[in-house]
Structures are given as structure tokens and as C-alpha cells.
Amino acid sequence: MQPSSDETLRTLLSDLYRNDSPGDLEKLSSQLLQILSQSSEDHDVPIGSSRWNGDDAVLITYANTVADDAAFGLQSLRGLVNRHLEPFARVIHVLPFLKSTSDGGFAVSSYQTIEKEYGDWSDLNALAEGRRLMADLVLNHVSASHPWVQQFLRHEQPGESCVLEASPDPCWNDVVRPRSSALFTQLSGPHGRRQVWTTFGPDQVDLDWHHPQVLIGFIELLNRLLSHGVRWIRLDAVGFVWKEPNTSCIHLPQAHRLVEVLRFLLDRHGPDRVVVTETNVPEQENLSYLRNGQEAHLAYNFPLPPLLLEAAMSGRADLLNAWLARWPELPNQTGLLNFTACHDGVGLRPLEGLMADQRVLQLLMGCERRGGLISHRRLRNGEEVPYEINISWWSAMADGGIDPGHHQRSRFLLTQLLVMALPGIPAFYLPALLATPNDLARFRRTGHRRDLNRPQFKLDAIERRLQDPDADATNVLAALRHALEVRSSQQALHPDAAMTVLSSDRSDLVILKRSRDDDNALYAVHNITPNRLTLSLAQLKAEFDNGFVDCLSGQSFSAQQQPSIEPYAVHWLVKP
């Protein structure tokens, strides 16, 4: 006999709050379900139902990336998407839009209020019309200005129970850090100074998830988001949320259990809800949130950006091919969010065990030559090591020689088309789609390295650019829009279709076979080099007795032909 939903939730909660009585857990369970019932569609997820399909793509953007003097940020964004970006935006990930004080919105200071310049909750509703929205739950911390922190400093509830107070102690010596700032910060209040955890910086105060009040607060926020068109939830830096003495304080069992709780509640809310984990860590740690099929629906595919970046820069795909050949087998209804550029830098921790130090060094030097910067994190012994590369993806695709624009557009398109050819959901960062170089002026103004790749645009300037037939942005969008249309018509490129790597021992080509059945396979061929290559059917290990068609270009080939592949070209080959 299967346990009831209420019993399942109580069991999950009992692993988080082991000192709470059965009565307390039952009360907490009922409270959480009651909060979400206010906006619930009251659906159970149909067995075998799919949360995504072949035309799904995610557009990543800040609410104020597009500025218009006559409109709020969410309104300007909606206008641009509706006019130019619809195929890229079946799902829009609006990066943190709640009121905040720093870190690009990730230091949230209010769970009730949207930043004034972005608009209000009705503008979020309008953006959600005809599409799904993804929003962040910043689970690890809040702004030092958040009401919980201010209550904590006054010894008032609920903040007194919500903020993580701690001080330097040998029991924290093994804590894994993503930053080089101090782990603890002293805050001043009316009753003196108190020391708190600040994993990500002094304005981002860690929460104490040992207390159910924190979970209740986030479920109230989750209900508010779901009530305004959000369907996908991104769990920001979820691996850091739970702290225990004498541990690394990352990916602890309770962090996994928390993801399970949120997944359970979201599944109860409706059949198209999706939990996405964001853990910029080595590959197996990242995949751990997918392995049992009960936690995340999707996880960011963090090894992909640095491996693809290195391949495109060096013209060598050996490491990329070897990694692709080990593509993980994941439970049904789970997958990977595949991306290149995003609002953060290109993470380097996912390369651990995948790339030798000397090649990593060459990658860093190549990015610095293209105007990029390197951010660091501090190890337990105090040593600082590279943590991420801060660079726009368009600038990263520049040539390292005399002419930076040589093959830049082709190299850029290759990386985006490869993302589309992989199992999972493709995601695109708006500034990258607009072929935007490093924003040096913004970086000089703020001093924040990530601002190199967090530009803001005037809406009229974007419109003028997209009316120029020779502009890089115009050509990039046209090529990728066409590819998305082709992708949606090819069952072989469905997010759940199987993949076989036919180039695992090569460094010049990346050849992927995607299929739901062998009669309808698609062969995605990528020339990762600056040289013209020749493709033979033997390389495809496929039967093309009647020839084949490149469904990207529409060009047909006979079975005897050996087509030339231009530098950085991509072909999607199918039977005619």
C-alpha cells in the first residue's frame, strides 16, 4: 500500500527536523500544503507525462537588461521578446527581480516587493502570458537589509530563528567556499554586535535551515511566484544551504532532502512545474541532484561551457568528445539544462578531473587575451585559486590572432548549435544572442568582474541593430531562430531522445547521433577547427543508401558524395 501524500511529506520533513515531534511535523506539513493550495491547480502529475518538448528553450535575462524610458524593465523585455525572440523564450528565466541590495539581485531584501524599476507583479503576469517563467529561490542567504536580519539584530522572531549565527571555530575548518571573502561577518544592532555566516559576501547573510520558519517563509514566497505565472523554479546555490560542524557544509544529505521537499510540493501544485538545481561544482556533485529521480527535474550542465569554450578556442575537441561519450544516464523525467553563456562567469570547478592544469592555464590566458578576467575562491589552507572566467561569450569566440572577427560569428554559431543538438533543454543568455562584447565601461564603473557580461541595452538601440541586415546580432538571431524551428520538427532532437557519440577518439569533429528510433536518426556534425574537412559516410557509421539531407541548409547529397565541411560549420544530416 502506497503512503498518502501527507505521509510522504511528513517523512521528508522528519529527516530535516529530527528533533520535532510527530505532532509538530504534522502541523508543519499541513501548513505548507495549505499555503500552496491557495494557488494550486490541484493536479497530480500524470504517469508518463512530459514536462518539456522539442520546441522548448530557455531565455536567460535580467528584468532590466532592456531599458526604455517610457516603460518598466519587465514591460520593455516583454515587448522585445514578443517582437524578436519568441522561439528562444518558451521559458524565460527572469533573474532575481525582487527588491535587493547587491550581487545582481541575489541579495534579496524583500520577499513581497519587485524592484521598482522592473515594474510590479502585474507586469510579471503579463510577461508570463503564452509562456512559462522561471524564477529563483535564493535559498542560502538574504540581504543584510532583509527584515529577518533586522529582527535578528533586535532579538525578535521570526528573524531570531532564521539567521545563522556562528563564529570562527576549528569545527568549520573544512567548509568549502565559492568566494575569497570572510566566512563570518559582524553586524551591529541595537543590542550590540552579532556574528553571522556570510558564505557569498558580507551583504549576503546565511539562513538557518535547521528552523522550519525558514522553510515556511520560502513556501510563502513560492506560492506568490506560482500565483504570478512562474512554473519553473531555479534553486540558487542549493548545495550550500545546510551547515553542520566538522563537515564541508556542501551537498549535505539535508540539502538533498530539502530539494526533495520542494520537488514534492511543486509536483502537487501542477503537472508542468519544474525544479532546476544550480550547483556550480564538479560534475558528479552536480548530477547528484538528479540521480534518484526524486529531487531536481533539471540541473545546469556546468561542465559544458568551459569544455566547449576550450574546444572552440583551441580548435581541439578531444576533451569535449571524451566527456560527451560519457554522457550520463538519468532517470525518466530528469535532464540537463545545456548552456554556454549566463549571467555568471564560466565556472572552473566543473573542470576538476576533466582537464589538465596546463590546458586550464592556456584557457585562462586565451580568455585574458580576449579581454576576460579571472575570479578566485579561497581554499581551506588560505590559497586562492581560479574559480570562474568573466567574459562575454561573443568576445570569447573572437580569434586570437590579428583579426579578432575572423570566424567569430561561425565559431559562436557552432557553440550554440551544439547546445541545441544535445539531450536536454537548450538555454540562451540574451546578451549573447545579441552578439554583445565585453562591457568594459560597465566594469570600470562598478568594479565588479561579472559586470563584463551583464550589459544593459536601450530598447531603441536594439531595435536599430536588429534592422541592420549586416549586424552580427541580426545574423545570429536569424540562424539560431531557423535552427530552433528545424529542431522542433525533428523527433530525433527531442530533449529525451538518445545520443551516441561517433567521434570519441577525434579532435577535429564532434559527431552526435540523436534518435528515438534508428529509422529516424539525425547526425549532428560539427567542425571544431579553422580548417576545411571532408566528411565520409564511414565517419557517420550510418546507412545512407539513398543519400542524405542537411536539414539546416536543405542541401541534398548522394550516397557517393563526400561533402566538404567549412571551418566551424555544422550540419544536421537525415535520410531524405
Side-chain angles (χ1 to χ4, degrees), residues 11-26:
T11 298
L12 294 173
L13 293 172
S14 68
D15 283 347
L16 288 176
Y17 309 115
R18 294 177 179 176
N19 295 326
D20 286 19
S21 69
D24 289 338
L25 293 172
E26 183 172 358

Side-chain angles (χ1 to χ4, degrees), residues 513-532:
K513 177 185 176 183
R514 297 290 311 283
S515 64
R516 285 195 141 180
D517 59 76
D518 285 339
D519 289 335
N520 294 289
L522 180 145
Y523 296 81
V525 181
H526 311 78
N527 180 359
I528 211 78
T529 76
N531 307 311
R532 182 182 290 109

Side-chain angles (χ1 to χ4, degrees), residues 54-331:
D55 66 354
D56 277 337
V58 178
L59 179 69
I60 305 169
T61 178
Y62 277 102
N64 64 342
T65 294
V66 182
D68 181 1
D69 293 338
F72 292 112
L74 287 167
Q75 297 170 350
S76 302
L77 175 62
R78 182 186 179 215
L80 182 69
V81 168
N82 288 346
R83 287 190 295 275
H84 301 289
L85 301 170
E86 198 64 54
F88 303 91
R90 305 300 187 212
V91 180
I92 300 183
H93 176 200
V94 186
L95 289 155
F97 47 80
L98 294 171
K99 189 176 179 182
S100 70
T101 53
S102 64
D103 195 27
F106 285 92
V108 179
S109 59
S110 171
Y111 289 152
Q112 286 78 39
T113 309
I114 290 178
E115 281 284 1
K116 186 176 180 180
E117 66 176 292
Y118 301 166
D120 57 27
W121 291 102
S122 66
D123 295 312
L124 196 69
N125 272 335
L127 183 63
E129 291 177 5
R131 59 179 67 93
R132 290 151 286 168
L133 298 185
M134 177 159 68
D136 288 272
L137 287 184
V138 185
L139 298 170
N140 182 73
H141 52 263
V142 292
S143 164
S145 301
H146 190 280
W148 281 348
V149 179
Q150 299 308 305
Q151 292 163 359
F152 168 81
L153 293 174
R154 296 192 300 267
H155 295 276
E156 297 173 359
Q157 293 293 353
E160 179 72 14
S161 297
C162 294
V163 171
L164 186 59
E165 186 171 24
S167 58
D169 187 281
C171 71
W172 306 123
N173 286 349
D174 293 331
V175 170
V176 171
R177 297 293 314 288
R179 296 287 186 274
S180 57
S181 56
L183 179 57
F184 305 104
T185 299
Q186 285 195 350
L187 300 178
S188 297
H191 305 292
R193 300 175 69 82
R194 301 183 74 176
Q195 194 153 237
V196 297
W197 269 65
T198 50
T199 297
F200 287 86
D203 187 41
Q204 293 164 286
V205 177
D206 287 29
L207 299 172
D208 190 349
W209 278 92
H210 292 79
H211 293 278
Q213 184 59 48
V214 177
L215 177 59
I216 293 170
F218 272 98
I219 298 306
E220 290 172 345
L221 171 58
L222 177 60
N223 181 66
R224 185 172 294 112
L225 295 172
L226 293 170
S227 300
H228 291 89
V230 172
R231 293 296 175 264
W232 290 25
I233 298 294
R234 177 184 182 268
L235 306 183
D236 175 68
V238 65
F240 296 96
V241 295
W242 201 277
K243 282 84 173 177
E244 293 289 344
N246 301 307
T247 73
S248 64
C249 295
I250 187 171
H251 311 310
L252 297 187
Q254 295 90 338
H256 286 276
R257 190 62 72 180
L258 175 60
V259 176
E260 244 182 295
V261 168
L262 295 171
R263 158 80 176 259
F264 174 87
L265 292 169
L266 217 60
D267 279 350
R268 279 285 301 267
H269 191 272
D272 63 341
R273 313 302 187 256
V274 173
V275 174
V276 186
T277 46
E278 186 269 342
T279 51
N280 189 359
V281 293
E283 183 176 24
Q284 295 310 311
E285 297 175 36
N286 186 42
L287 294 175
S288 68
Y289 292 88
L290 299 175
R291 292 292 191 192
N292 72 2
Q294 302 299 316
E295 298 180 38
H297 299 104
L298 293 171
Y300 278 73
N301 195 354
F302 276 109
L304 177 59
L307 284 169
L308 187 50
L309 176 60
E310 195 271 345
M313 277 190 176
S314 68
R316 292 183 294 169
D318 52 331
L319 297 182
L320 178 62
N321 271 321
W323 173 75
L324 289 169
R326 300 191 300 271
W327 194 264
E329 292 186 17
L330 299 171

Side-chain angles (χ1 to χ4, degrees), residues 263 293 330-334:
R263 158 80 176 259
L330 299 171
N332 289 335
Q333 297 291 295
T334 64

